[in-house]
């Protein structure tokens, strides 16, 4: 059986955060129910299109999936189990935000096999949470974390952010200290990115440009300060026993996120739900991004109408077969995000050619410059290589 991963998108949030450009919005319960019914139809449809697959991980992301009532989450996971063959040891993760969980909900989660939770804290400083437009304060997070542990979850991620407006090393230290004291198994530390189309873009766009140009900024940290915050996070988490296994991800006791490692290793995945991306048989595809159109496709399938399009799924709005060159580039871009990099043998197994025959001169040059190293059949970026990973990875583009 072919191992695959499932990503399931829940595009609902209690309120839109000011920096967020994810495909999510505020919808009432009626729309949530309509969407989940459509999602279950797509799950069944995709399972029929992909027989012979073994699901190794499920990641329910968003949005705020935990905002759904427990019967809707139950319907989603039960439909996956009824439609696909699921590895008995599958990792099943759900994203949640402080204030969207209850003891009852968590009990249902456990009973349907959800075994990993990812909580979006972002900061332990209430003033920073306010700036970000989050719905919670730090106390609310503590309450949620306590509920999660009491419900018996022993694989928990906490998301934090660096590079926030007015963030200092002292403020970041407070967040890191507060989080590591709770001993979650996993911490993701992302840098704030000012995305077009968000209220943050309107407010901080000039600062963001100055930051990129290495100039003095007004509210965002300068480029140099951002680097200091990033380094501080790395060193602090290492001192507390969290091992960095990807540019922004840290785990203790080996509790890495198997789903994300699958992405970086190019394990085939199916994206189910609004705007989700899939990679299967070397074809990259994206689902439609209009929620009403998405629901109508499922409703047409349910009513037995012909929904065939020229693409291989009626849910797709785009589909592209990757060339060997595209796939090789992607192998390097994604694989080198991992701290242990890529295996020469995996490259050969994927493409039938030695990695040096394609990238030999680039690898030699990067090793010579100290950006890359090799050990036990693996190639990986050094610390200074990771610091300038955008420039380094761009060298792996093929003409
Ligand atoms: S909760 Fe997450 S997905 Fe929803 S608006 Fe905030 S950052 Fe975006």
């Amino acid at each position: 059986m072919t191992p695959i991963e499932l990503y399931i998108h829940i595009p609902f949030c209690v309120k839109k955060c000011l920096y967020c450009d994810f495909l999510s919005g505020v919808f009432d319960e009626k729309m949530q129910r309509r969407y989940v019914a459509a999602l279950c139809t797509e799950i069944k449809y995709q399972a029929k299109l992909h027989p012979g697959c073994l699901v190794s991980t499920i990641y329910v992301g968003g949005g705020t999936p935990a905002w759904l009532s427990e019967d809707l989450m139950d319907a989603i996971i039960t439909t996956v189990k009824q439609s696909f063959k699921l590895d008995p040891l599958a990792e099943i993760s759900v994203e949640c935000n402080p204030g969207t969980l209850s003891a009852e909900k968590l009990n249902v989660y456990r009973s349907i096999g959800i075994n990993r939770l990812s909580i979006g804290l972002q900061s332990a400083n209430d003033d920073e949470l306010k700036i970000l437009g989050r719905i919670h304060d730090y106390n609310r997070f503590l309450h949620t974390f306590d509920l999660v542990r009491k419900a018996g979850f022993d694989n928990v991620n906490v998301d934090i952010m660096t590079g926030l407006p007015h963030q200092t090393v002292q403020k970041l230290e407070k967040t890191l200290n507060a989080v590591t004291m709770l001993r979650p198994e996993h911490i993701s530390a992302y840098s704030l990115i000012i995305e077009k189309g968000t209220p943050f873009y309107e407010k901080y766009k000039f600062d963001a440009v100055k930051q990129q140009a290495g100039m003095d900024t007004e509210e965002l940290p300068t480029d140099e300060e951002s680097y200091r915050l990033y380094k501080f996070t790395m060193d602090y988490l290492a001192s507390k026993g969290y091992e960095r296994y990807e540019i922004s991800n840290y785990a203790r006791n080996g509790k890495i996120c198997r789903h994300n490692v699958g992405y970086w290793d190019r394990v085939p995945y199916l994206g189910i739900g609004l705007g989700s991306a899939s990679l299967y048989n070397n074809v990259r595809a994206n689902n439609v991004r209009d929620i009403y159109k998405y629901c109508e496709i499922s409703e047409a399938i349910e009513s037995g109408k012909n929904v065939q399009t020229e693409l291989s799924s009626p849910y797709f709005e785009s589909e592209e077969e990757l060339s060997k060159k595209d796939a090789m580039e992607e192998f390097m871009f994604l694989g080198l995000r991992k701290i242990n990099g890529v295996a020469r043998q995996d490259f050969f197994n994927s493409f039938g050619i030695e990695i040096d025959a394609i990238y030999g001169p680039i690898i030699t040059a990067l090793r010579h410059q100290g950006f890359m190293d090799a050990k036990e059949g693996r190639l990986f970026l050094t610390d200074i290589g990771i610091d300038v990973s955008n420039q380094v990875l761009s060298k792996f583009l093929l003409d």
Side-chain angles (χ1 to χ4, degrees):
M1 296 195 100
T2 316
I4 55 158
E5 304 194 332
L6 293 187
Y7 172 78
I8 299 176
H9 190 67
I10 308 296
F12 306 123
C13 287
V14 179
K15 174 178 162 270
K16 199 76 189 158
C17 301
L18 299 171
Y19 58 94
C20 176
D21 77 334
F22 295 155
L23 186 54
S24 70
V26 183
F27 289 91
D28 63 14
E29 200 191 333
K30 191 169 163 217
M31 191 63 208
Q32 294 182 18
R33 290 194 173 272
R34 183 178 174 199
Y35 178 78
V36 169
L39 202 56
C40 291
T41 301
E42 194 197 350
I43 293 168
K44 291 183 259 174
Y45 190 89
Q46 292 284 8
K48 275 195 202 131
L49 275 187
H50 301 94
C53 289
L54 180 69
V55 174
S56 55
T57 66
I58 304 172
Y59 193 97
V60 188
T64 307
W67 191 30
L68 291 179
S69 64
E70 46 271 45
D71 65 309
L72 293 180
M73 188 62 77
D74 188 351
I76 295 167
I77 302 294
T78 303
T79 306
V80 171
K81 287 180 183 166
Q82 289 168 348
S83 315
F84 284 94
K85 178 123 187 65
L86 184 66
D87 184 332
L89 298 176
E91 174 188 273
I92 308 181
S93 305
V94 171
E95 283 181 353
C96 47
N97 282 316
T100 55
L101 288 171
S102 63
E104 298 72 40
K105 214 177 241 188
L106 287 163
N107 285 338
V108 172
Y109 282 13
R110 293 265 297 166
S111 72
I112 57 178
I114 292 166
N115 51 26
R116 184 173 185 275
L117 294 177
S118 176
I119 311 176
L121 165 66
Q122 317 312 347
S123 166
N125 300 296
D126 286 344
D127 58 338
E128 289 179 336
L129 291 171
K130 218 173 239 168
I131 289 173
L132 292 170
R134 302 288 302 192
I135 56 166
H136 64 272
D137 58 17
Y138 178 59
N139 264 334
R140 214 159 183 207
F141 162 78
L142 279 181
H143 177 65
T144 298
F145 194 88
D146 189 40
L147 284 178
V148 163
R149 284 301 199 215
K150 282 189 178 138
F153 284 90
D154 61 1
N155 196 359
V156 179
N157 169 61
V158 176
D159 280 343
I160 60 168
M161 279 180 122
T162 65
L164 305 179
H166 306 291
Q167 191 175 38
T168 57
V169 166
Q170 289 71 28
K171 282 187 144 180
L172 178 60
E173 186 173 12
K174 187 180 160 199
T175 296
L176 290 167
N177 180 44
V179 173
T180 52
M181 270 180 25
L182 296 169
R183 308 306 287 155
E185 286 66 34
H186 191 282
I187 297 173
S188 297
Y190 295 105
S191 303
L192 173 71
I193 297 174
I194 305 295
E195 302 282 5
K196 269 192 184 154
T198 64
F200 259 35
Y201 184 77
E202 291 313 311
K203 190 161 179 197
Y204 298 117
K205 61 186 172 212
F206 295 119
D207 245 12
V209 171
K210 287 185 198 165
Q211 190 187 51
Q212 273 170 18
M215 294 160 69
D216 280 346
T217 49
E218 283 167 26
E219 299 189 76
L220 294 178
T222 60
D223 194 37
E224 209 175 291
E225 285 160 349
S226 299
Y227 182 70
R228 217 176 301 139
L229 295 167
Y230 156 82
K231 276 278 177 221
F232 184 81
T233 304
M234 227 174 88
D235 295 342
Y236 192 98
L237 292 177
S239 75
K240 301 290 176 185
Y242 287 87
E243 192 184 341
R244 184 157 79 139
Y245 67 97
E246 191 266 351
I247 295 176
S248 310
N249 286 284
Y250 302 78
R252 63 180 185 88
N253 298 336
K255 289 249 174 118
I256 56 169
C257 175
R258 283 164 45 201
H259 184 84
N260 283 345
V261 171
Y263 285 152
W264 302 318
D265 285 342
R266 300 189 79 245
V267 172
Y269 57 88
L270 301 179
I272 296 177
L274 196 66
S276 298
S278 302
L279 175 68
Y280 191 85
N281 272 349
N282 229 25
V283 172
R284 181 168 294 292
N286 289 287
N287 275 5
V288 294
R289 295 174 63 85
D290 178 319
I291 193 165
Y292 299 101
K293 192 167 175 197
Y294 178 81
C295 291
E296 282 159 16
I297 295 167
S298 280
E299 286 153 7
I301 290 174
E302 284 297 334
S303 65
K305 287 196 187 127
N306 181 11
V307 289
Q308 297 306 320
T309 65
E310 66 276 16
L311 304 180
S312 41
S313 159
Y315 292 96
F316 291 167
E317 71 175 16
S318 65
E319 182 178 28
E320 175 203 8
E321 182 158 3
L322 297 183
S323 65
K324 196 168 180 179
K325 166 183 154 302
D326 294 335
M328 285 177 178
E329 290 173 353
E330 202 178 78
F331 179 98
M332 300 307 286
F333 292 163
L334 295 174
L336 290 174
R337 293 186 62 90
K338 294 177 298 170
I339 302 303
N340 70 355
V342 297
R344 290 176 182 277
Q345 189 63 45
D346 288 346
F347 190 92
F348 184 82
N349 294 346
S350 302
F351 305 111
I353 187 165
E354 295 292 344
I355 198 167
D356 285 325
I358 304 293
Y359 287 119
I362 295 157
I363 292 169
T364 305
L366 289 172
R367 289 184 71 179
H368 188 67
Q369 291 160 355
F371 293 139
M372 217 173 171
D373 208 347
K375 205 165 118 190
E376 293 162 5
R378 298 191 75 90
L379 290 159
F380 50 90
L381 299 187
T382 58
D383 282 351
I384 57 162
I386 291 174
D387 287 349
V388 288
S389 59
N390 285 347
Q391 288 107 292
V392 172
L393 293 176
S394 69
K395 307 280 181 211
F396 289 92
L397 284 171
L398 296 165
D399 292 333

